[in-house]
Amino acid sequence: MPADSGSDVTLDQARTRIASLRRELGRHEHLYYVLDDPRISDAEFDALLRELQELEARFPELVTSDSPSQRVGGAPREGVETRSHSSRMLSLDNAFDDAELVDFDRRARELAGAEVLDYVGELKLDGVSMAVRFGGDDMTGEAVGAGSATLLGEAATASRLTLALTRGDGTRGEVITPNARTLRTLPLSIPASVLVANEVPTEFEVRGEVVMPTQAFADLNARQRAEDRPMFANPRNAAAGSLRMLDAAVTASRRLDFYPYLLLAAGQPVFASHWEALEALAALGFKVNPHRARLRGIDGLLAFRDEWMGRRESLSYEIDGLVFKVDAVDLQRRLGATSKSPRWAIACKPAAQQAETVVEDIEVQVGRTGAVTPRALLRPVQVGGVTVSHATLHNEDEITRLGLQIGDAVLVERSGDVIPKVVRVVRAGAGRRPFLMPSRCPACSAPVVREEGEAVARCVNASCIARLKESILHFASRTAMDIDGLGEWLVDAVVDGGLVKDFADLYELTPEQLAGLTKETKVSPTRLGEKNAARVVSGLESSKEVPLGRLVFGLGIRHVGERTAALLADHFRSLDAIAAATTEELEQVEEVGPRIAESIRTFFGTEMNRDLIERLRRHGLRFREDAEDTSQPRPLAGKVFVLTGTLAGMTRDEARARIQEAGGKVTGSVSRNTDYVVAGESSGSKLRKARQLDVAVLDEQGLNDMLSVGLSPVAKD
Ligand code: IVH
């Protein structure tokens, strides 16, 4: 039955066709996402999906939760609901060196009464654990409505994903079923025939790790930064945050993979060996991590570990060690578990770049937005060749979580360029004292308030001196107004001396005032001097010419990052137009959503800020984007583009710049106003949307052709 076979389709015909479409789509999702072996083009896949969606729209009574059409994230979860796990979700004990691994093997052999043990070696994926149940009557509020005898019939021939839980406290977890359904590497249902063939009961549970691939994490953070939203510290946090979104559509928009590592029924292993369980999971269509091996005795463990020492970097996701499990399930039972972890498994972790030291004090810093953040002052210690004397503590909750007090001995960790962090308290200090978040700002004495539901405490005073200093440093920074010579001590001096109370005051500083400012140094106070003063004044003068976007960024409007500011300038062409824009108009700009629009409106709606703008205008700052250069050809004038996927010959930013140079506009989402979608490698939902809306799709060559000659390579239909 073709997709457009009109309205004469009977319910029975629809049911048959829907079943066959679901089978086909499920097979191709598995080929694409799990096996990395696509057999049909995106377009063919989309055509099948569209046909399914159309049929389901016409026969809503045939929609089921395991339909591939449901991957986009349905209705938001309502609040946080928890459920009991079928058996405790344990964690793993760690072995940090050879001796600890040898110890683990010895104890296991003794308890198991075996000369030598067979193990399975796996990667310890650094994500969040999830338990997923299939089959049974664990329906989480979904309607299996009346007249669905056939649906039940259908369900009887397949086990559907019915419940997904986070690990929670190990006993109860949060219900995240709608979110789990959006993970393409997690089957939505498994045909009964497949279960029978693999000797898996119709009701079973899979536990595993949800991870965000490193590239997806980098892309997500780039987007977060662009939208001036909080960035994620690492892929694990990003995976956890994405999975627990109340709105599953957000989960769907993030790339998350599920790797199973346990197969259970009624909370107990299904197979006699762990290896068989992993093989069965693969046969059921799960993405079992391929880097696994059967190992014999301690030599096998050590060899697997040595092999993986150097290979870690080659993976497209993060791991935080390896896991070794006793293979035979009867021996696992004999070994049992402690209250926290099984005695038949161990995590083998590389010794991180960590060191022990003492927290001598905890101080707070006041940022540009008034955020008051605590940081630990440490007794200086060498960590991986670098002296560390500070560590970030993020916020009060983090200090509570760590159970940290001033004077405690702590383990600090440094990884890459990241600011060192406190991992845990090693020993309580003798004269330890708790840290109290000051109730008043250390800089201006205004109240520090932590709003309900917020992790961050803030100084409420908009003209707090510490906030002012941070704001001016931001205004003067290289990516904003780029004011040469206006560094930290000079900002301290002009603010403390009462010369500068806002950005506009900077432009009223005279060379004489500046030259007379003194800096306290270890040796003796030093004057800034005429020469340096002249440099600052000239820096201020040239800053008047920076492009509008940099000025908008420098103003420090909440949630308006460097990129958003540039996009705003590009769209509105003048500061006055941005200031006058309505929220709807602001939201026309790529990457500007309601939150950013609201924040811009609030900024320009504040009288003090409007006065500031007028004073900056009088000082001659550039408030307009340059008139368009008409000497250049603008073949793409008026055309609206959306970029998706990875291009081979240029980055997305380069593509954007080239399109803009040629007069085109680049927006973030596909709509009826989009003229072209440029689709690179692994384009996803945007490409599908383009097809749905019949928007013309270009490949990279097509874009290049347009940029060079301005001819339309595809007829827009
Ligand atoms: S087995 C009873 N295998 O590591 C066995 N866990 O502290 C429990 N993890 O929260 C876990 N990769 O989410 C196992 N291949 C793997 C794993 C793995 C990552 C996580 C798991 C658990 C934590 C252990």
Side-chain angles (χ1 to χ4, degrees), residues 693-714:
L693 297 178
D694 272 343
V695 172
V697 176
L698 298 179
D699 59 11
E700 190 165 350
Q701 185 55 48
L703 173 65
N704 279 325
D705 291 349
M706 283 192 93
L707 286 166
S708 50
V709 288
L711 293 177
S712 174
V714 276

Side-chain angles (χ1 to χ4, degrees), residues 257-276:
D257 285 335
F258 177 75
Y259 291 96
Y261 52 65
L262 275 186
L263 171 62
L264 306 173
Q268 296 302 315
V270 175
F271 288 93
S273 78
H274 179 58
W275 186 262
E276 282 175 87

